[in-house]
């Protein structure tokens, strides 16, 4: 069930009303109801894969108990490895099995031997497996590192693993934030609910009006890149930057807003990354939950930046390659990760990777300076270039796309595949960018205006835009569902 489907618009009000009308007396009743609703939410996609979520839940629940009660470090480590091997094993089989087999077949073919593809399997990738396996592993890792005491409440833990607002595409939550809230009694809060509804509306706007309206253009250009000149290809990958941002940040807004309806505060996953002034700031603002996960559970255990410069550079390379591989079983994602490592390392070596951690662009000003504008444009251009690999079907296509830009550098007016005027999209994205710059200081308050008239105008435009662009007959799944 997708957030932008009619099914969800029916499901959510029913669950919300039942939750607050019938399950407010006991926390255990609240969590049991949400757990059932979450399993129903996921099971509508494919009920068979519920067993994977349940298996991951059971394993890490008991692993957490055994790590905590074990007397020796050796024993604790043994149980931790059970969690890691089990979850990475699930992820590895469903997501990466055919990738490794195909890569091995290709390697063997270089020697002149052909072994066929009899080893490959028809495997369906379970939606959300990259997210919930990382979430359950973080629970075991936090117990191992003595950051967390395991819960004895299995229902609360199962709800933490499968909480439907963030089950299939994050944010990837740590138990110290989400499980502690799930274990506490929730009381209806009108202000929290209205804030949640506003985030849901804004997230849907970004998904339906921004991401989905751009998708046909991006699909056409990337599918037929060999037929278009450089101007069109640059247009295509630039629009893809807006598409993937609107799609994924829109999902995160809906997830955070939906959680608010049930008294839960999820972590922020996006903080206006398109206004980043260097690549390091970009990664502090883009997919924050994944970046945080890798920093806490991979980068710091490797030594982080506390070791020598050479080892720190090694750690950065590892993080970005693993992050790329996490996104998908394709060499394009590994190349994408390598590009980001290459972009990040110079910023790190110059000591400029943390200078924008607590500031926003044009801090306490209405407009950015010329220097900030150039920094933003440069960063956006570099990130956009990397997305050629992120969006392409293969490494061959990615390099073919780049080659076409370099060899066919001419301007040509692009004709929309559905016949719409392109000028309308430029106006839409310009207004959207200006609006996001206006609200850049608070990603959780998209409609924060003192004037009621202004709020009414903005609400009207947003809702009319969604009604105009919404089409339930078009398959517009969220991009990160495939990860």
């Amino acid at each position: 069930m997708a957030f932008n489907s009619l099914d969800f618009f029916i499901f959510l009000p029913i669950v919300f009303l039942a939750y607050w009308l019938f399950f407010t007396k006991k926390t255990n009743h609240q969590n049991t109801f949400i757990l059932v609703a979450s399993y129903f939410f996921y099971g509508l996609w494919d009920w068979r894969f519920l067993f994977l979520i349940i298996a991951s839940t059971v394993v890490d629940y008991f692993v957490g108990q055994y790590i905590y009660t074990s007397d020796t470090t050796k024993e604790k480590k043994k149980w931790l490895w059970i969690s890691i091997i089990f979850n990475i094993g699930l992820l590895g089989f469903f997501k990466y099995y055919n990738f490794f087999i195909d890569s091995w077949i290709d390697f063997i073919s270089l020697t002149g031997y052909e072994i066929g593809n009899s080893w490959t399997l028809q495997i369906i990738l379970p939606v959300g497996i990259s997210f919930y396996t990382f979430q359950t592993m973080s629970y075991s890792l936090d117990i191992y590192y003595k950051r967390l005491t395991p819960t004895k409440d299995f229902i609360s833990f199962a709800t933490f693993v499968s909480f439907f607002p963030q089950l299939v595409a994050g944010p990837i939550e740590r138990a110290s934030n989400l499980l502690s809230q799930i274990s506490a009694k929730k009381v209806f809060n009108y202000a929290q609910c209205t804030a949640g509804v506003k985030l849901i509306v804004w997230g849907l706007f970004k998904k339906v009006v921004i991401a989905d309206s751009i998708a046909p253009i991006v699909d056409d250009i990337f599918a037929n890149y060999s037929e278009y000149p450089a101007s069109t290809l640059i247009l295509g990958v630039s629009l893809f930057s807006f598409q993937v941002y609107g799609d994924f940040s829109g999902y995160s807004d809906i997830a955070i807003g939906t959680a608010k309806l049930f008294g839960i505060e999820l972590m922020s996953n996006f903080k206006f990354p398109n206004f980043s002034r260097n690549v390091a700031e970009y990664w502090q603002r883009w997919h924050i939950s994944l970046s945080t996960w890798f920093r806490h559970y991979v980068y710091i255990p490797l030594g982080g930046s506390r070791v020598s410069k050479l080892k720190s550079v090694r750690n950065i390379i590892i993080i970005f390659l693993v992050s790329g591989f996490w996104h998908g079983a394709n060499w394009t994602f590994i190349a994408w990760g390598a590009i980001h490592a290459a972009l990040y390392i110079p910023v790190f070596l110059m000591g400029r990777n943390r200078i924008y951690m607590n500031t926003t662009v044009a801090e306490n000003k209405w407009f950015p300076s010329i220097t900030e504008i150039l920094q933003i444009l440069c960063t956006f251009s570099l990130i956009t270039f990397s997305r050629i690999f992120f969006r392409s079907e293969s490494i061959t296509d990615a390099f073919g796309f780049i080659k076409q830009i370099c060899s066919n550098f001419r301007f040509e007016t692009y004709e929309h595949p559905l016949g719409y005027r392109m000028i309308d999209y430029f106006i839409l994205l310009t207004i959207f960018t200006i609006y996001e710059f206006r609200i850049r200081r608070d990603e959780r308050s998209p409609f924060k205006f003192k004037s009621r008239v202004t709020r009414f105008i903005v609400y009207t435009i947003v809702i009319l835009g969604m009604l105009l662009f919404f089409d339930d007959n078009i398959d517009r799944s969220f991009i990160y569902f495939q990860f």
Side-chain angles (χ1 to χ4, degrees):
M1 188 188 304
F3 285 162
N4 57 336
S5 68
L6 291 176
D7 292 339
F8 183 73
F9 298 149
I10 297 170
F11 167 83
L12 181 59
I14 292 173
V15 174
F16 172 77
L17 291 173
Y19 181 82
W20 291 115
L21 289 175
F22 307 118
F23 299 96
T24 56
K25 291 184 178 181
K26 292 185 178 181
T27 303
N28 193 49
H29 293 169
Q30 288 179 322
N31 292 338
T32 301
F33 176 70
I34 287 295
L35 178 62
V36 172
S38 297
Y39 284 166
F40 177 80
F41 173 87
Y42 191 86
L44 282 183
W45 177 73
D46 193 324
W47 64 268
R48 295 170 298 175
F49 292 121
L50 279 172
F51 293 107
L52 296 181
I53 297 177
I54 294 171
S56 187
T57 301
V58 171
V59 167
D60 278 285
Y61 173 79
F62 285 107
V63 162
Q65 304 291 332
Y66 290 132
I67 290 174
Y68 187 72
T69 57
S70 295
D71 296 325
T72 65
T73 301
K74 182 179 180 180
E75 190 75 8
K76 293 176 185 291
K77 190 171 290 187
K78 181 191 76 173
W79 287 109
L80 177 64
W81 275 109
I82 288 174
S83 170
I84 293 172
I85 291 171
F86 178 81
N87 285 291
I88 295 298
L90 281 183
L91 192 59
F93 176 76
F94 283 97
K95 191 169 183 176
Y96 301 109
Y97 174 83
N98 281 338
F99 170 77
F100 285 119
I101 291 297
D102 290 339
S103 297
W104 174 250
I105 291 173
D106 291 340
F107 175 76
I108 293 297
S109 67
L110 295 176
T111 65
Y113 291 94
E114 297 293 336
I115 59 176
N117 59 356
S118 59
W119 287 88
T120 58
L121 302 174
Q122 296 296 320
I123 299 175
I124 301 173
L125 178 65
V127 170
I129 191 170
S130 297
F131 292 88
Y132 67 73
T133 50
F134 270 38
Q135 189 153 303
T136 57
M137 273 196 299
S138 73
Y139 173 79
S140 298
L141 285 161
D142 281 344
I143 295 172
Y144 176 81
Y145 287 116
K146 299 181 180 179
R147 301 168 183 154
L148 186 72
T149 300
T151 180
K152 294 183 179 180
D153 185 348
F154 180 79
I155 296 297
S156 291
F157 180 72
T159 306
F160 157 72
V161 175
S162 61
F163 187 48
F164 76 87
Q166 48 89 229
L167 173 59
V168 295
I172 304 171
E173 285 285 351
R174 297 174 69 179
S176 56
N177 178 45
L178 181 54
L179 181 56
S180 60
Q181 294 184 74
I182 288 173
S183 300
K185 183 175 175 60
K186 272 74 70 181
V187 179
F188 182 80
N189 185 312
Y190 177 78
Q192 187 180 35
C193 288
T194 55
V197 171
K198 290 175 184 177
L199 272 176
I200 291 171
V201 170
W202 182 237
L204 283 170
F205 177 85
K206 288 197 282 188
K207 169 60 177 170
V208 174
V209 178
I210 302 300
D212 287 354
S213 68
I214 294 172
I217 305 171
V218 175
D219 292 345
D220 173 59
I221 292 173
F222 272 86
N224 305 289
Y225 67 86
S226 62
E227 301 173 12
Y228 289 120
S231 61
T232 300
L233 301 187
I234 293 171
L235 170 69
V237 70
S238 299
L239 289 178
F240 178 63
S241 278
F242 282 98
Q243 180 197 358
V244 72
Y245 169 68
D247 191 282
F248 195 21
S249 71
Y251 176 93
S252 295
D253 286 344
I254 300 169
I256 293 167
T258 302
K260 281 177 175 288
L261 298 181
F262 300 94
I264 299 292
E265 293 290 339
L266 299 179
M267 70 179 295
S268 294
N269 212 19
F270 289 85
K271 293 187 177 183
F272 307 105
N274 288 341
F275 302 127
S276 299
R277 289 155 288 186
N278 64 29
V279 175
E281 184 183 12
Y282 171 83
W283 279 107
Q284 293 160 14
R285 296 177 175 276
W286 175 275
H287 204 345
I288 299 168
S289 64
L290 181 66
S291 303
T292 303
W293 199 99
F294 279 123
R295 183 168 65 251
H296 280 290
Y297 302 114
V298 182
Y299 184 69
I300 292 176
L302 286 172
S305 56
R306 301 187 307 274
V307 292
S308 67
K309 286 286 186 182
L310 183 61
K311 288 185 177 179
S312 294
V313 169
R314 175 206 64 185
N315 296 341
I316 290 169
I317 293 171
I318 290 172
I319 287 298
F320 279 108
L321 291 180
V322 172
S323 175
F325 199 43
W326 176 90
H327 279 83
N330 195 320
W331 288 105
T332 55
F333 294 113
I334 297 175
W336 172 79
I339 291 170
H340 276 272
L343 296 174
Y344 190 98
I345 288 170
V347 178
F348 170 77
L349 293 176
M350 290 187 293
R352 299 183 62 82
N353 55 308
R354 300 175 67 86
I355 61 174
Y356 298 127
M357 288 192 66
N358 300 310
T359 65
T360 58
V361 64
E363 189 79 17
N364 301 319
K365 294 186 293 185
W366 281 97
F367 302 102
S369 66
I370 297 299
T371 299
E372 288 176 321
I373 292 173
L374 293 175
Q375 288 174 325
I376 291 170
L377 290 175
C378 181
T379 303
F380 181 82
S381 298
L382 292 172
I383 297 300
T384 296
F385 170 78
S386 74
R387 286 186 172 132
I388 293 174
F389 290 87
F390 193 94
R391 179 59 177 77
S392 295
E393 296 293 327
S394 67
I395 286 287
T396 301
D397 286 333
F399 280 112
F401 196 101
I402 296 169
K403 181 181 178 181
Q404 186 73 354
I405 291 176
C406 297
S407 63
N408 192 7
F409 198 81
R410 59 186 174 85
F411 178 83
E412 187 176 283
T413 302
Y414 176 72
E415 299 293 334
H416 192 289
L418 300 179
Y420 302 136
R421 298 193 314 167
M422 289 301 300
I423 186 64
D424 295 336
Y425 289 88
F426 287 114
I427 294 172
L428 172 65
L429 293 178
T430 299
I431 294 173
F432 173 70
T433 301
I434 293 171
Y435 186 83
E436 285 231 308
F437 185 81
R438 164 67 177 75
I439 63 173
R440 69 191 182 283
R441 294 181 180 89
D442 188 358
E443 73 282 357
R444 296 193 177 223
S445 301
F447 307 117
K448 191 175 183 179
F449 296 95
K450 293 181 181 179
S451 169
R452 291 183 179 180
V453 175
T454 302
R455 287 199 301 271
F456 177 78
I457 292 172
V458 172
Y459 290 148
T460 301
I461 292 172
V462 167
I463 292 172
L464 287 177
M466 287 192 293
L467 292 174
L468 179 64
F469 282 87
F470 183 79
D471 186 351
D472 194 48
N473 295 318
I474 297 177
D475 179 19
R476 289 299 175 205
S477 300
F478 287 87
I479 292 173
Y480 268 68
F481 278 18
Q482 64 183 295
F483 306 139

